[in-house]
């Protein structure tokens, strides 16, 4: 019955559309639901009262929609967004002060991606969550929605993205650590600041398990519930069916849900009751597949020991069916994800595995990376076709194998290029922009006015 009410409430949501041009001239469209009628009350709310309120709000929406044609939008029902204020370098915008539903809980900024149907999938964040953490969440979402040619379920994800937008999927990023039962009362998937280590940050480099990376898990939950489809209508019911069947099999044969303590059995029962076994099982497999648990040394397996495989190599032998289900939707390398390296990072950030640096269990699957800030840091790629960007400082960018691209912000005539042996030195003539970069094993230079093939130089 509660799932039925959720679906009914979802269909009766009131939305507002705000249109404005951002500083770069791109059209920004946000769909806000200030009244959030679909979340009035809780599971114990009397059904008759719920239906009555739903009908009232539905009628009000129709009345004001008609009034819009004559006198413009009524802000008592719809909170239209004004001109976005000061988009940050990372594409983070301010939530308008009159978006009371979100401001009430301290959410002050947002970012988004657009589905093919033109509707947004939003990420909102509280004031103290770093912009780069919000941008990282957006980039992970973009990765999950990037097509994977030749895959069973991920070759064309447009319907998944469209379903997410139609279901008004939203991620919220509160400050601090997650406390069960203390989440903001907003209809959104939660990802807390303390479980969002920025690539290249201290938490990330040291694999700080007190701040373990829950970004993959929580953002895929959002994709799974609202796009693939669980309690909400989704685009891939056959995929969901396979995931659910395998989750149950994995419990029976001991691959997942390993009883490391008595609370695991209670947790599995809760998941069974709420219909979330598939979501939690595949999230464990994804975390292992992309190296998040490879450095964990406190017990066998991944996800705190409740999952049988710790690394992708173990996955191939201990849970090949789980690996196949991941690869039915996601790629082996993280194409579509741009790793934003923390501005505090110093030294060389590597995209290839190096046993001396355990963070590379994770970064080995990256393809594109960008240094942020102004420190004189360096990037080294891997065998993929990497896209590498420096920061405002002086950087060394080394591509490695593949056809690698170095990206610069300005036009070609704003830079001087000098060849010193095998190293190409690129100096930006505009101050405080790209600095002086040394390039090795880079095949393409990408400027704002076009690409240059390095052999042509």
């Amino acid at each position: 019955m509660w799932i039925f009410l959720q679906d009914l409430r979802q269909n009766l949501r009131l939305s507002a559309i705000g249109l404005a041009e951002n500083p770069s001239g791109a059209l920004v469209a946000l769909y806000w639901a200030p009244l959030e009628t679909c979340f009035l009350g809780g599971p114990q709310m009397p059904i008759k009262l719920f239906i009555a309120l739903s009908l009232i709000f539905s009628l009000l929406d129709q009345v004001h929609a008609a009034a819009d044609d004559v006198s413009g939008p009524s802000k008592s029902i719809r909170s239209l967004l004004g001109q976005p204020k000061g988009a940050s370098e990372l594409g983070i915008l301010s939530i308008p002060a009159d978006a009371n539903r979100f401001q009430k809980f301290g959410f002050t900024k947002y970012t988004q991606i657009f589905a093919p149907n033109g509707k947004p999938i939003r990420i909102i964040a509280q004031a103290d969550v770093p912009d780069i953490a919000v941008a990282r969440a957006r980039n992970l979402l973009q990765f999950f929605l990037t097509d994977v040619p030749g895959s069973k379920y991920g070759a064309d994800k447009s319907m998944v993205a469209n379903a997410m937008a139609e279901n008004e999927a939203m991620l919220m990023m509160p400050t601090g650590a997650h406390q069960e039962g203390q989440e903001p009362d907003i209809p959104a998937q939660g990802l807390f600041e303390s479980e969002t280590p920025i690539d290249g940050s201290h938490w990330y480099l040291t694999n700080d398990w007190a701040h373990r990376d829950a970004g993959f898990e929580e953002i895929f939950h959002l994709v799974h519930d609202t796009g693939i489809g669980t309690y909400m209508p989704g685009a891939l019911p056959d995929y969901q069916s396979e995931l659910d069947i395998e989750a149950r099999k994995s419990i029976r044969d001991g691959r997942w849900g390993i009883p490391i303590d008595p609370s695991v059995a209670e947790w599995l029962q809760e998941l069974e009751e709420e219909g979330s076994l598939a979501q939690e099982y595949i999230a464990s497999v994804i975390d292992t597949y992309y190296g998040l648990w490879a450095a964990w040394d406190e017990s066998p397996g991944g996800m705190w020991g409740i999952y049988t495989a710790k690394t992708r190599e173990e996955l191939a032998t201990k849970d090949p069916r789980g690996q196949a289900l991941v690869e039915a939707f996601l790629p082996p390398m993280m194409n579509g994800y741009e790793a934003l390296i923390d501005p505090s990072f110093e030294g060389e950030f590597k995209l290839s595995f190096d046993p001396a640096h355990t963070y590379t269990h994770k970064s080995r699957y990256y393809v594109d990376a960008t240094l942020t800030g102004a420190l004189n840091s360096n990037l080294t790629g891997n065998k993929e076709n990497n896209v590498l960007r420096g920061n405002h400082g002086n950087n060394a960018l080394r591509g490695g194998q593949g056809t690698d691209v170095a990206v610069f912000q300005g036009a070609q005539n704003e830079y001087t290029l000098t060849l010193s042996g095998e190293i190409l030195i690129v100096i930006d003539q505009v101050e405080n922009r790209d600095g002086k970069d040394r390039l090795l094993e880079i095949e393409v230079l990408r400027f704002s006015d076009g690409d240059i093939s390095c052999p042509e130089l």
Side-chain angles (χ1 to χ4, degrees):
M1 177 59 72
W2 177 233
I3 291 176
F4 163 77
L5 290 177
Q6 286 179 310
D7 289 341
L8 181 57
R9 291 171 178 182
Q10 179 71 16
N11 292 332
L12 292 172
R13 279 192 173 189
L14 300 178
S15 297
I17 302 175
L19 295 177
E21 286 189 348
N22 66 23
S24 67
L27 192 65
V28 176
L30 282 181
Y31 298 71
W32 297 99
L35 295 179
E36 291 297 337
T37 60
C38 60
F39 281 88
L40 288 170
Q44 292 77 34
M45 186 179 188
I47 294 176
K48 290 183 180 179
L49 177 59
F50 169 78
I51 293 175
L53 287 172
S54 297
L55 289 173
I56 290 169
F57 282 118
S58 180
L59 288 171
L60 284 173
D61 193 36
Q62 295 177 43
V63 169
H64 284 279
D68 287 350
D69 294 336
V70 178
S71 59
S74 171
K75 288 191 177 181
S76 63
I77 294 297
R78 296 179 177 174
S79 180
L80 297 187
L81 293 181
Q83 180 77 14
K85 300 177 181 179
S88 75
E89 186 177 4
L90 297 170
I92 312 302
L93 295 164
S94 297
I95 292 177
D98 59 355
N100 298 328
R101 173 71 175 180
F102 306 103
Q103 293 282 356
K104 174 183 177 182
F105 293 101
F107 290 93
T108 62
K109 52 192 173 183
Y110 72 92
T111 188
Q112 63 191 345
I113 66 173
F114 286 93
N117 62 12
K119 297 182 180 181
I121 303 168
R122 303 176 299 267
I123 299 172
I124 61 173
Q126 290 181 340
D128 291 338
V129 178
D131 283 2
I132 192 171
V134 183
R136 180 184 192 253
R138 180 195 61 225
N139 292 356
L140 279 171
L141 176 59
Q142 185 67 62
F143 160 65
F144 285 136
L145 294 178
T146 297
D147 292 345
V148 183
S151 62
K152 184 176 181 180
Y153 293 112
D156 181 1
K157 298 181 183 176
S158 60
M159 297 302 292
V160 174
N162 286 343
M164 292 182 70
E166 292 293 341
N167 287 324
E168 298 186 8
M170 183 164 64
L171 183 78
M172 65 174 174
M173 300 184 69
T175 303
H178 183 205
Q179 297 182 18
E180 195 68 36
Q182 301 300 312
E183 302 89 348
D185 184 20
I186 289 177
Q189 177 70 41
L191 175 62
F192 284 73
E193 175 195 5
S194 68
E195 55 188 14
T196 314
I198 299 160
D199 295 317
S201 66
H202 178 74
W203 292 353
Y204 180 92
L205 297 174
T206 60
N207 299 293
D208 186 340
W209 300 109
H211 301 282
R212 77 102 178 172
D213 189 351
F216 286 70
E217 176 186 2
E218 303 299 348
I219 296 172
F220 195 79
H221 283 339
L222 182 69
V223 175
H224 196 160
D225 285 335
T226 64
I228 294 169
T230 55
Y231 69 90
M232 288 185 175
L236 298 174
D238 290 345
Y239 189 34
Q240 166 59 10
S241 177
E242 287 193 49
L243 293 171
D244 185 68
I245 291 170
E246 199 60 36
R248 297 172 187 279
K249 287 182 179 178
S250 71
I251 296 172
R252 291 195 297 269
D253 61 29
R255 284 174 286 146
W256 175 68
I258 299 169
I260 55 175
D261 64 55
S263 66
V264 174
E266 298 175 6
W267 177 63
L268 291 175
Q269 182 59 38
E270 291 175 2
L271 296 180
E272 172 69 45
E273 292 172 358
E274 66 185 31
S276 298
L277 289 171
Q279 295 93 305
E280 296 295 340
Y281 164 68
I282 198 61
S284 295
V285 185
I286 288 171
D287 273 12
T288 287
Y289 189 76
Y290 291 112
L292 272 63
W293 290 95
W296 171 258
D297 58 4
E298 297 182 26
S299 66
M303 194 59 81
W304 310 114
I306 69 169
Y307 181 57
T308 186
K310 189 190 301 288
T311 65
R312 189 177 292 189
E313 291 73 22
E314 289 185 1
L315 191 60
T317 57
K318 294 184 175 183
D319 190 10
R321 179 58 185 157
Q323 179 171 345
L325 286 171
V326 169
E327 293 174 347
F329 189 75
L330 297 173
M333 301 295 293
M334 292 184 63
N335 294 288
Y337 174 71
E338 179 187 4
L340 301 171
I341 311 307
D342 192 79
S344 68
F345 178 79
E346 295 184 87
E348 177 188 13
F349 190 88
K350 299 182 177 183
L351 306 189
S352 56
F353 180 63
D354 181 350
H357 300 280
T358 56
Y359 76 86
T360 61
H361 281 292
K362 301 169 286 189
S363 65
R364 69 193 297 184
Y365 300 116
Y366 295 171
V367 178
D368 304 336
T370 295
L371 294 169
T372 68
L375 296 179
N376 299 331
S377 306
N378 308 318
L379 275 176
T380 299
N382 50 33
K383 65 181 180 180
E384 301 299 311
N385 299 328
N386 303 124
V387 177
L388 307 178
R389 294 174 173 83
N391 58 20
H392 300 311
N394 301 328
N395 313 122
L397 307 178
R398 181 167 188 165
Q401 301 177 42
T403 300
D404 304 305
V405 179
V407 180
F408 301 91
Q409 297 181 60
Q412 180 191 346
N413 61 9
E414 297 172 335
Y415 298 80
T416 62
L417 282 63
T418 305
L419 194 60
S420 176
E422 295 182 348
I423 297 174
L424 180 63
I425 301 173
V426 181
I427 301 176
D428 191 352
Q429 300 304 303
V430 177
E431 293 186 4
N432 301 317
R433 190 170 63 176
D434 286 330
K436 175 182 177 180
D437 294 337
R438 298 165 61 85
L439 311 182
L440 183 63
E441 298 175 345
I442 296 290
E443 286 70 40
V444 177
L445 307 183
R446 179 159 296 157
F447 298 99
S448 63
D449 56 349
D451 292 357
I452 297 176
S453 175
C454 287
E456 295 177 4
L457 300 176

